[in-house]
Amino acid sequence: MSTTRKHTALPKAQILIEALPWLVRHNGKTVVIKFGGNAMIDEDLKAAFAQDVVFLHHAGLKPVVVHGGGPQISAALDKHGIVSEFKAGLRVTTEDAMDVVRMVLAGQVQRELVNLLNEHGPLAVGLTGEDAHTISATKHRPEIDGELVDIGRVGEITAIDTGAIEALLADGRIPVVSSIARSQDDGHVYNVNADTAAAALAAALDAETLMVLTDVEGLYEDWPHSDEVISRLTASQLEKLLPELSSGMVPKMEGCLHAVRNGVTTARVIDGRVQHSILLEIFTDEGIGTMVVPDAQEGDAV
């Protein structure tokens, strides 16, 4: 019996030992995680995500969670009789729609995530980009067919103030940030892309890692002809690929590019449909998804 117990316990010990160099490397480092995709909707994935973030916290890392809420916003707009319209891959956000966006992000999605994290202790604190001037923005006008188009209260990030987030981290808390920004110039609030917000925060916080959860395995080598995932690429290699990417991947990969070009050591796009994908990516040799590194680190071990 005791021999059997030893044998069944051994793989667990080996898994923990494999994590040791990664625990040492990441100890005390800030990691910004963009929560999105199926992981936001599926109950089991949501619970696993919360466990992963709390694990990172107790393993000595400083996780910061940034979220949007596309599916929830669409459902709420539908309920309020407001048509969801997209231009240049961004949600057209009228004044009425902005009220709903703010209500859903800060009052529904954020609350649920904070409560899931706080099942494990008094850890998570929710805030939006409006709080303590965390995210400031001006009106974003995308260019479509050579013309600048008005898509309402959609913001382009102009400044990040990390003071409130850093104070929470210093107090041993897990900040959960909704992707709403205060206006730099007109007293309104703006809907900002959550991938872009996560990247901007990661750069401003001098984070070790930006992790973006998606509904795909990573960045594909030659989609749709191949489902081979690129496991690692440099900023310059990614920049060359950007024009060929699908519209949904562009803000994610632009965010990764911005992060590694502004002091973040690695940016990763990982499959949020896999339970505990965050732990697999950070604490195992294999990792999953696609990792972007700065050009200067090409050939280095990361």
Side-chain angles (χ1 to χ4, degrees), residues 14-279:
Q14 286 168 337
I15 289 164
L16 291 170
I17 292 302
E18 186 185 328
L20 181 59
W22 309 105
L23 284 165
V24 172
R25 176 175 294 180
H26 296 300
N27 190 51
K29 302 288 175 59
T30 301
V31 52
V32 175
I33 306 163
K34 192 281 180 145
F35 179 58
N38 264 332
M40 296 188 80
I41 301 160
D42 181 284
E43 296 302 323
D44 292 337
L45 289 173
K46 272 194 281 200
F49 174 82
Q51 288 172 332
D52 284 9
V53 173
V54 172
F55 187 97
L56 295 185
H57 169 79
H58 287 301
L61 285 82
K62 296 177 178 175
V64 176
V65 179
V66 180
H67 72 88
Q72 294 91 336
I73 290 168
S74 293
L77 288 172
D78 197 37
K79 200 181 286 183
H80 284 79
I82 301 170
V83 177
S84 288
E85 187 187 355
F86 291 85
K87 288 183 180 175
L90 297 166
R91 185 186 298 276
V92 177
T93 309
T94 61
E95 295 290 343
D96 287 345
M98 187 65 226
D99 289 340
V100 175
V101 167
R102 199 182 195 184
M103 178 180 71
V104 170
L105 292 182
Q108 179 189 333
V109 179
Q110 182 200 90
R111 291 295 94 209
E112 186 177 8
L113 191 46
V114 164
N115 289 335
L116 275 171
L117 291 164
N118 285 343
E119 284 177 12
H120 304 278
L123 298 170
V125 178
L127 63 157
T128 79
E130 302 164 72
D131 293 313
H133 292 189
T134 298
I135 305 174
S136 298
T138 55
K139 192 179 184 71
H140 174 58
R141 288 183 172 85
E143 191 175 306
I144 302 174
D145 298 330
E147 285 187 32
L148 294 177
V149 179
D150 187 343
I151 55 172
R153 302 228 63 82
V154 175
E156 188 164 330
I157 296 171
T158 53
I160 298 284
D161 185 330
T162 59
I165 291 175
E166 287 178 345
L168 288 167
L169 291 173
D171 193 34
R173 310 295 177 181
I174 301 172
V176 178
V177 187
S178 303
S179 57
I180 306 164
R182 67 179 280 268
S183 170
Q184 181 101 355
D185 48 22
D186 64 9
H188 289 279
V189 293
Y190 284 108
N191 183 15
V192 292
N193 181 284
D195 297 313
T196 310
L201 280 168
L205 287 162
D206 201 20
E208 169 82 2
T209 299
L210 167 68
M211 304 183 84
V212 180
L213 269 65
T214 66
D215 284 340
V216 292
E217 292 172 81
L219 194 59
Y220 294 112
E221 188 88 50
D222 186 22
W223 186 260
H225 309 295
S226 159
D227 61 359
E228 191 71 30
V229 171
I230 303 169
S231 61
R232 173 191 165 103
L233 73 171
T234 64
S236 293
Q237 289 168 334
L238 173 57
E239 194 166 37
K240 288 187 188 122
L241 285 177
L242 277 176
E244 303 160 27
L245 300 183
S246 64
S247 60
M249 282 302 273
V250 169
K252 298 179 195 316
M253 299 317 299
E254 281 181 343
C256 289
L257 186 61
H258 173 81
V260 299
R261 288 232 162 118
N262 288 275
V264 178
T265 310
T266 65
R268 307 148 191 253
V269 173
I270 61 172
D271 192 345
R273 301 168 302 176
V274 177
Q275 283 203 14
H276 304 299
S277 55
I278 293 169
L279 297 188

